[in-house]
Amino acid sequence: MIRKLTEQDHQQVLAFLSEEPSINLFIIGDIEAFGYSSEFQEIWAEFDEQSTIKAVLLRFHQSFIPYAKGEFDTTGFVSIMRQYTQPIFLSGKSDIVEIFESFEELSLGKKQVTFFAECLSDDCLGDNDVEVKKATIEDVDQIIELRSSIEEFHIRSDARKMLINAMESNTGRTYYTTRQGVITACVSTTAENSISAMIVGVCTRKENRRQGLATSIMKKLFKDVLAEGKTLCLFYDNPAAGRIYKRLGFKDIGKWTMYR
C-alpha cells in the first residue's frame, strides 16, 4: 500500500531514512525544513502488511527522490510521478533510480552518474595553519563572483538568493580564505540537517591554485561539521578530486544518478 505521509508518520519515516543518513540527506533535510504539508513538497511511502515502511518517494517541486531497501512498488511510484508535468527531475541511489529507466511514460532528462562518498571522523584532517573565515551575507557577492569564474561550474540565475536562504535557514554555510580583501578560495555545505551535510562548491581562483587553500578550508569546515555530530557527504566524478577527498577521510559508499 502506498499513501501520502503526514506529520504523524514523522518518527517512523525518520527512523527508516536514518539507517543510511548520507544517502538520504536530501529527503531528511527537506522534511525537516518544509514538513509534510507544503504546496511544493510531498512525501509518499509504501507499507507492508505489518505497516512497516518499505520505500519512500519525495517530491520537491518537479524533482523526485525515491529510496528503498529492497524490492518496492516501482509501478506505483511511476503512477504518482506521471501526475506531474513532464519532464521531471529524478535522482537518487543509482541501483534504485535506474530501475525507472524502463518506464517510457516517464520523460527523463540527461543521465549523470557520480560517486557518493561520506566522512564520519576527523582522524585524517590534521592541523591547519591557514586563516579560514566563515561567510556572512556580506560575502555573498564575492562568493558568487568567484564561483562564476570557474569554468566547470554552472551558476543558476537564482544562485545568490539560494546562498542567502541557506545561510539564513542554517541549511548551508560557506568558509573561505582571502588575500588583500579578495576571496581566494571557498567551500560550502548544502542540505544540512540534524544528522548530515553535503559538501559543494569547492573552488579556488586560477591564480591561487596549487597552494592548498581549498584543502585548508575543507579541513576547518569538516572539523566544525563533524564536531556537531553530523556526517559529511559529497558527490564527485573527477578521480583527482576523489583522491584528495579520500586523503581527508572520505570513503565511497555508492553511486548517485541524476536525470536532468
Side-chain angles (χ1 to χ4, degrees):
M1 177 190 72
I2 297 175
R3 68 168 173 84
K4 192 178 293 187
L5 299 180
T6 69
E7 189 66 40
Q8 294 180 338
D9 300 300
H10 183 67
Q11 293 305 317
Q12 186 181 3
V13 71
L14 191 62
F16 175 75
L17 298 171
S18 296
E19 292 185 25
E20 289 192 276
S22 295
I23 290 292
N24 291 311
L25 171 139
F26 294 112
I27 301 179
I28 294 171
D30 286 342
I31 289 174
E32 290 185 350
F34 306 111
Y36 297 86
S37 58
S38 170
E39 291 183 2
F40 55 82
Q41 177 167 292
E42 298 171 285
I43 308 99
W44 295 265
E46 178 187 357
F47 293 83
D48 64 18
E49 294 178 355
Q50 287 74 42
S51 297
T52 300
I53 293 177
K54 294 179 59 178
V56 167
L57 177 66
L58 170 80
R59 178 185 75 87
F60 184 79
H61 295 284
Q62 289 298 113
S63 298
F64 291 83
I65 304 177
Y67 174 72
K69 295 177 185 174
E71 293 184 0
F72 64 101
D73 184 1
T74 51
T75 302
F77 280 2
V78 168
S79 67
I80 292 171
M81 290 187 276
R82 286 183 61 195
Q83 298 174 24
Y84 296 87
T85 304
Q86 304 289 319
I88 60 168
F89 300 131
L90 179 67
S91 61
K93 198 174 181 180
S94 293
D95 60 355
I96 295 172
V97 298
E98 290 178 1
I99 296 172
F100 292 91
E101 290 179 2
S102 62
F103 291 88
E104 296 182 359
E105 57 266 47
L106 292 180
S107 179
L108 301 177
K110 183 179 179 181
K111 180 179 180 179
Q112 180 184 7
V113 182
T114 61
F115 289 98
F116 197 101
E118 72 174 4
C119 178
L120 304 175
S121 129
D122 64 359
D123 292 345
C124 299
L125 295 179
D127 296 326
N128 186 14
D129 57 3
V130 174
E131 183 182 8
V132 176
K133 302 176 182 178
K134 183 177 180 180
T136 67
I137 292 176
E138 294 178 354
D139 303 306
V140 166
D141 288 335
Q142 271 212 63
I143 294 167
I144 297 300
E145 184 273 326
L146 171 54
R147 290 180 178 177
S148 299
S149 73
I150 307 300
E151 294 179 1
E152 300 83 359
F153 283 16
H154 301 283
I155 306 301
R156 293 172 42 153
S157 59
D158 59 351
R160 186 179 187 278
K161 179 182 178 180
M162 291 178 65
L163 187 56
I164 292 173
N165 287 344
M167 291 180 180
E168 291 179 338
S169 63
N170 293 318
T171 57
R173 66 186 94 177
T174 299
Y175 285 18
Y176 66 89
T177 55
T178 61
R179 180 168 296 170
Q180 296 180 338
V182 176
I183 292 180
T184 52
C186 64
V187 181
S188 301
T189 64
T190 190
E192 281 204 44
N193 56 64
S194 59
I195 58 178
S196 53
M198 172 70 69
I199 302 301
V200 295
V202 179
C203 58
T204 306
R205 290 190 187 278
K206 290 183 179 180
E207 60 269 29
N208 299 113
R209 292 177 181 175
R210 301 188 182 280
Q211 300 173 22
L213 296 178
T215 299
S216 294
I217 297 169
M218 286 191 285
K219 286 181 178 181
K220 168 63 174 170
L221 177 56
F222 294 177
K223 284 186 176 182
D224 285 358
V225 174
L226 289 166
E228 296 173 9
K230 298 181 180 182
T231 299
L232 286 163
C233 52
L234 53 79
F235 302 129
Y236 75 90
D237 55 10
N238 182 320
R243 288 191 290 271
I244 294 172
Y245 297 138
K246 288 173 182 178
R247 288 200 298 269
L248 295 173
F250 279 84
K251 296 181 179 180
D252 291 341
I253 60 171
K255 290 186 176 180
W256 186 268
T257 298
M258 295 173 280
Y259 302 88
R260 293 285 186 269

